[in-house]
Amino acid sequence: DGGITQSPKYLFRKEGQNVTLSCEQNLNHDAMYWYRQDPGQGLRLIYYSQIVNDFQKGDIAEGYSVSREKKESFPLTVTSAQKNPTAFYLCASGTLQCESSYNEQFFGPGTRLTVL
Amino acid sequence: GENVEQHPSTLSVQEGDSAVIKCTYSDSASNYFPWYKQELGKRPQLIIDIRSNVGEKKDQRIAVTLNKTAKHFSLHITETQPEDSAVYFCAASLGSARQLTFGSGTQLTVLP
């Protein structure tokens, strides 16, 4: 469904633990993004990456880290420094090809993280 | 950075009536405005989008209008059906990575 997958679907973490959320896409998209969604709120950008081995902070990067070692993969680590990590995390990807100056983003199914 | 405001936060309409959701954006350099529909617990799905060089776009019962001068755009759904009930998000695209800034969402309820 859309060629972008996230795992796990549900994740439970104890306070003080780091956890890593997986995001994979087979759409050959250049750009990948991580968003956080809290109940009744919109999506807020955590990190994004335009190319392998490069990424930039979004609006709420504190307490999170990412890597982009492969074009297809963009894992997100929620560290113990994130004070309120319970949320729905969505990964997205999009093309940055020159012939298209616009970017339709496709979303993965999301990971629901709960801190116990 | 970009800021997107969306209104109303909740909207209830009778089946068959029209629904309108409005968004404003702050950065005149934004050039792409998608609308997403999100059902409970699911991923956002793109339902329609509009580029900055177009004033209006229609796809069956859904239409989007863009006023670049006023920096606002709107989603119009006609002949609403119960399956249209969901949360709708607007967004604006800006930057070399074409990152999106989202509005806070509108919970649309279509009453049978």
Side-chain angles (χ1 to χ4, degrees), chain A residues 22-81:
Chain A
S22 169
C23 178
E24 304 277 334
Q25 55 99 2
N26 62 3
L27 301 168
N28 198 32
H29 283 167
D30 304 295
M32 297 186 74
Y33 313 83
W34 273 105
Y35 296 91
R36 170 182 172 140
Q37 186 174 30
D38 293 283
Q41 298 188 32
L43 285 70
R44 293 183 290 168
L45 184 63
I46 305 172
Y47 267 98
Y48 60 98
S49 169
Q50 301 178 68
I51 194 170
V52 173
N53 292 323
D54 188 40
F55 46 83
Q56 289 79 40
K57 293 181 179 180
D59 300 320
I60 55 165
E62 185 175 354
Y64 300 98
S65 65
V66 293
S67 63
R68 187 87 187 273
E69 297 179 0
K70 300 186 299 182
K71 186 176 184 178
E72 302 80 16
S73 179
F74 191 42
L76 173 74
T77 296
V78 185
T79 75
S80 56

Side-chain angles (χ1 to χ4, degrees), chain B residues 23-96:
Chain B
C23 289
T24 61
Y25 60 99
S26 61
D27 197 319
S28 57
S30 290
N31 61 0
Y32 172 67
F33 307 92
W35 286 89
Y36 286 86
K37 175 183 179 182
Q38 186 180 31
E39 298 177 351
L40 190 62
K42 301 288 184 64
R43 73 184 83 190
Q45 300 269 17
L46 180 73
I47 56 171
I48 196 167
D49 56 18
I50 191 167
R51 281 54 165 146
S52 58
N53 58 351
V54 175
E56 184 174 358
K57 181 177 179 180
K58 188 174 182 180
D59 183 4
Q60 298 182 1
R61 296 187 296 110
I62 296 173
V64 57
T65 59
L66 172 65
N67 183 327
K68 288 173 57 179
T69 302
K71 290 188 285 188
H72 68 71
F73 55 113
S74 300
L75 177 70
H76 305 253
I77 306 174
T78 59
E79 301 173 22
T80 55
Q81 301 167 3
E83 52 265 39
D84 293 329
S85 296
V87 179
Y88 292 81
F89 292 98
C90 64
S93 178
L94 180 68
S96 60

